[in-house]
């Protein structure tokens, strides 16, 4: 069975695909916005601490589960819990799978906005002002058209398989994303006002650091950014050969993700100050005037004021966000697709079609009841499902999974001090830390 399973053909392909999953709207939009609102460098500092103490171990646990079992997330969790509570493992896997569908249902809507904004400056360039304006203003019709387009783009990659689709496209798109990001940073940092933004970002305001809300926001941001808790990383981990040097691979994924979030701050926060310098209102009472306004109003107005080069910058900026969203979308799509292929024996093309149809229904339901559902789905996923799934991973890897688990095998641990330390950390420290933070979120 295992030799007929599709998979990544190189370690680099795995790292790029996983980094592609991790690096998304959360890095380029979410992180800089949160940093700007929460003490700049202080947020960065807390984010780094939370990533090291909790998110990195959670990412390790998730990828380890996939890699050791070489199965899709539902089968992996069922297998890992087989001795103690197989049903619980299976239900948890299915909850994770629902998390992936929830993630896709709102993420593809936002990604559709990015696509529309990528096209808007192009229409503007060709003198189609009305169409350009329509593309740049939010409307239900825009959602109804662009969300399915984005779902189709993701499906077009996933249906080509792990090596032929996911690995190939991640390896193409990630370097483009990096080039665009660096190019944009280089341009924005030369504009008047940018240095003020750099100062706010890089000089920490430690007075905000004791705020428990800051720690909670940083944790939510770190989990979302590293794509932990919905099985996307688990399924990718299952596509590399068992027993590869996971510690190094996981650390490089987390390092790339954190680096890009940091670098995106060097673009967005200085850009805000460039906009302010050009006369736009950006902050009120020391807070950004609105997360949505930042990307869809303040920055487009800034690009507009730059003349024709602004059209190019605007297209590049939103194309960057669209690419980041696309590589994130495909990992979540792969979770239910792998489940249907392996457990229900459905072929990949049909499985991709079925998952895309479900995501379409989910996203159109959110579009239909946008005011009620959009924020609620994001909140349930990021503040409840992702942390609880992580807690479950720690419990599985540290306690429930015995046979075939290096991290609970005393004879392996006796010989490998590093692994023993990691095992104990995942077993004792992570669940306690996570519970403390989770209780803070819930109450
Ligand atoms: N990590 C992605 C981001 O930062 O935008 C979001 C994400 C992707 C979350 C994939 C969950 C997931 F499975």
């Amino acid at each position: 069975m295992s030799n007929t399973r599709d998979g990544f053909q190189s370690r680099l392909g795995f790292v790029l695909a996983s980094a592609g999953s991790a690096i998304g709207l959360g890095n380029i939009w979410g992180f800089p916005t949160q940093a700007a609102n929460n003490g700049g460098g202080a947020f960065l500092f807390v984010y780094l601490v939370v990533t090291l103490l909790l998110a990195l171990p959670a990412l390790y646990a998730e990828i380890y589960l996939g890699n050791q079992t070489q199965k899709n997330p539902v089968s992996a969790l069922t297998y890992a819990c087989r001795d103690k509570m197989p049903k619980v493992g299976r239900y948890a896997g299915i909850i994770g799978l629902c998390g992936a569908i929830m993630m896709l249902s709102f993420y593809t809507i936002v990604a559709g906005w990015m696509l529309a904004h990528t096209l808007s400056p192009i229409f503007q360039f060709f003198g189609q002002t009305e169409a350009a304006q329509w593309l740049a203003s939010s409307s239900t019709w825009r959602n109804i058209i662009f969300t399915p387009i984005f779902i189709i783009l993701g499906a077009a990659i996933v249906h080509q398989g792990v090596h032929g689709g996911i690995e190939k496209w991640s390896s193409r798109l990630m370097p483009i994303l990096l080039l665009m990001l660096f190019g944009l940073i280089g341009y924005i940092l030369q504009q008047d006002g940018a240095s003020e933004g750099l100062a706010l970002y890089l000089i920490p305001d430690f007075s905000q650091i004791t705020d428990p809300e800051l720690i909670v926001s940083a944790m939510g941001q770190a989990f979302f950014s590293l794509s932990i808790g919905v099985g996307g990383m688990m399924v990718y981990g299952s596509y590399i050969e068992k027993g590869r040097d996971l510690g190094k691979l996981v650390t490089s994924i987390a390092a790339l993700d954190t680096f890009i979030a940091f670098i995106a701050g060097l673009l967005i926060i200085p850009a805000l100050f460039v906009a302010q310098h050009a006369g736009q209102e950006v902050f009120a009472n020391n807070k950004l005037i609105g997360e949505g306004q930042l990307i869809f109003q303040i920055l487009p107005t800034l690009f507009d004021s730059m003349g024709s080069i602004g059209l190019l910058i605007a297209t590049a900026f939103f194309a960057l966000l669209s690419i980041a969203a696309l590589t994130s979308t495909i990992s979540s799509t792969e979770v239910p697709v792998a489940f249907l292929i392996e457990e229900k024996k459905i072929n990949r093309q049909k499985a991709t079609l079925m998952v895309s149809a479900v995501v379409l229904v989910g996203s159109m339901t959110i579009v239909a009841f946008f005011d009620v559902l959009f924020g609620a789905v994001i909140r349930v996923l990021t503040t409840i499902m992702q942390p609880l799934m992580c807690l479950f991973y720690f419990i599985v890897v540290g306690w429930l999974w015995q046979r075939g688990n290096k991290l609970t095998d005393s004879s392996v641990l006796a010989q490998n001090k590093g692994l023993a330390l990691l095992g104990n950390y995942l077993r004792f420290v992570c669940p306690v830390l996570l519970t403390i933070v989770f209780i803070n979120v819930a109450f």
Side-chain angles (χ1 to χ4, degrees), residues 21-22 24-27 103 107 224-225 227 230 328 331-332:
S21 164
L25 301 176
N27 299 63
M103 179 273 175
Y107 207 79
F224 185 73
S225 187
S227 312
V230 298
S328 295
S331 71
S332 289

Side-chain angles (χ1 to χ4, degrees), residues 20-28 100 103 107 221 223-233 257 324-325 327-329 331-332 335 381 386:
S21 164
I23 298 165
L25 301 176
N27 299 63
I28 297 165
M103 179 273 175
Y107 207 79
Q221 176 63 31
F223 281 3
F224 185 73
S225 187
L226 283 174
S227 312
I228 311 165
V230 298
M233 290 300 192
D257 182 66
T327 49
S328 295
T329 304
S331 71
S332 289
V335 176
L381 179 74
Q386 287 191 289

Side-chain angles (χ1 to χ4, degrees), residues 114-131:
M114 303 300 168
L115 267 189
H117 275 272
T118 308
L119 295 179
S120 172
I122 300 176
F123 277 75
Q124 181 83 36
F125 182 76
F126 288 107
Q128 306 292 317
T129 317
E130 227 171 273

